[in-house]
Amino acid sequence: MQSKAYISVDNQFIIGNLYISDIKSAIGFLFIHGWRSSDKKYIPLAEKCSQKGLVSLTLNLRGHVNSPFPLKNFSREDHLYDITTSID
């Protein structure tokens, strides 16, 4: 099952896709795109992981893809914070 994920970070948000299987597993994957990229290429892999019973989350960090926040406003440290917040 896929659902949109909105993760709050510093009064803003990260948009992602959460894939959960009917099979329960304690193993999960976080797919993080590269600079000036998106989660698009990771979606098929996240779907396959879900079919095998794993939980997967793909992210679009702040400033990427359809984010309402401009990329120029964020540093690599900001994106690292996005990632650690998503893990938490």
Side-chain angles (χ1 to χ4, degrees):
M1 169 178 47
Q2 178 209 6
S3 61
K4 281 287 182 198
Y6 296 88
I7 301 167
S8 177
V9 180
D10 290 339
N11 296 317
Q12 297 174 333
F13 57 89
I14 303 166
I15 302 170
N17 293 289
L18 180 63
Y19 297 86
I20 301 174
S21 173
D22 292 335
I23 304 166
K24 302 301 178 202
S25 173
I27 300 172
F29 289 94
L30 176 60
F31 294 94
I32 304 163
H33 61 79
W35 194 252
R36 297 193 183 265
S37 186
S38 77
D39 70 340
K40 185 177 179 180
K41 68 181 177 182
Y42 295 109
I43 289 174
L45 183 55
E47 289 171 343
K48 285 182 184 178
C49 288
S50 174
Q51 292 167 0
K52 299 216 180 270
L54 307 171
V55 175
S56 298
L57 175 63
T58 66
L59 294 178
N60 286 303
L61 303 174
R62 291 179 291 168
H64 290 83
V65 189
N66 295 326
S67 173
F69 314 110
L71 180 58
K72 66 181 181 177
N73 293 353
F74 301 101
S75 66
R76 287 185 169 87
E77 289 81 16
D78 292 325
H79 289 139
L80 178 59
Y81 186 67
D82 290 352
I83 294 164
T84 56
T85 300
S86 298
I87 292 169
D88 289 342

